[in-house]
Amino acid sequence: MGLVLAVLAAANAAAHLGPGGAAVRTAAALAVTALLLGVLRWAGGTWADAGLARRTLARGARWALALVGIVAAVYLVAALLPAGRALFEDRRYAGMDGGGLALRILVLVPVGTVLVEETAFRGVLYGLVRRARGAVWATAVSSLLFGLWHVPPSLGLASAKPALGSVFGGSGAGAAALAVLSAVLFTAAAGVLFCELRRRSGSLLAPLGLHWAVNALGYLAGFLLR
């Protein structure tokens, strides 16, 4: 597991400190995914440990489609309510056009974010820890590390999203720290849900579908409501 953590630490640092071009980020994400799966196989893991066994793919796909539909319905209801619309406000949409949105929801989110994170946390880490210590430990370790993974991207979150800024103050070290802590706790809790979906469906496709829907459809709603 130490090698997996080293790969993830390097990948997280590179994603936030290295070149930011879409092509570079996509290629790096694919490389990290392949490397993580290679580490799993080297450690004696199987495709089933990663949630990628052929026999569970159809079941996982059905779970994924259902979860995408649920998220879409929830977002639609929220977008129709005045109070709900504020949750989608994000200053990062200011200069985005339709092409930028398509690139984000069809490439950067599914490959640069969802594929890497689900392979790492609900695939390789979850699979290796479960083999050694069981599902409860796998869920706890994976979810905690998933929360900590989100420390760098949550920096500046309070100032970017007005709804959060109104809660945390929008500026200052205290507000930033609270926003980061909240993001870590929220994503760790989300990690528990993703792990449970992985366990119940037997497939990585279920958390992949939910993760993509939450992120990508959130971007779509925010773009349309700006």
Side-chain angles (χ1 to χ4, degrees):
M1 194 174 77
L3 183 55
V4 175
L5 297 180
V7 171
L8 290 177
N12 205 355
H16 296 96
L17 299 177
V24 173
R25 290 174 58 189
T26 302
L30 292 172
V32 170
T33 299
L35 181 58
L36 288 169
L37 291 173
V39 170
L40 173 74
R41 299 290 288 177
W42 174 79
T46 66
W47 292 121
D49 289 321
L52 296 172
R54 184 176 300 178
R55 68 180 185 277
T56 64
L57 292 181
R59 177 180 172 84
R62 290 193 296 270
W63 276 72
L65 289 173
L67 291 164
V68 170
I70 291 171
V71 172
V74 171
Y75 280 4
L76 177 60
V77 171
L80 294 175
L81 299 174
R85 292 174 191 170
L87 299 176
F88 296 106
E89 292 180 12
D90 192 322
R91 295 188 178 98
R92 291 171 292 184
Y93 298 130
M96 187 182 297
D97 58 13
L101 175 68
L103 176 65
R104 186 174 293 272
I105 67 176
L106 297 177
V107 179
L108 295 180
V109 168
V111 178
T113 299
V114 176
L115 180 64
V116 172
E117 293 181 358
E118 292 307 318
T119 299
F121 296 102
R122 264 66 64 180
V124 176
L125 268 174
Y126 182 89
L128 289 177
V129 177
R130 188 177 65 171
R131 280 170 65 93
R133 301 294 298 271
V136 173
W137 269 96
T139 297
V141 171
S142 169
S143 301
L144 175 61
L145 293 174
F146 185 57
L148 294 175
W149 169 269
H150 284 83
V151 169
S154 64
L155 298 173
L157 190 61
S159 59
K161 295 186 74 64
L164 295 180
S166 65
V167 175
F168 301 117
S171 62
L178 283 174
V180 170
L181 178 60
S182 298
V184 169
L185 293 176
F186 177 81
T187 50
V192 173
L193 173 60
F194 290 153
C195 285
E196 185 62 11
L197 290 172
R198 160 78 170 82
R199 185 185 71 82
R200 287 179 177 271
S201 68
S203 173
L204 194 62
L205 294 184
L208 273 166
L210 179 59
H211 198 162
W212 176 84
V214 169
N215 287 21
L217 299 184
Y219 281 120
L220 176 61
F223 178 81
L224 295 176
L225 294 172
R226 61 182 176 166

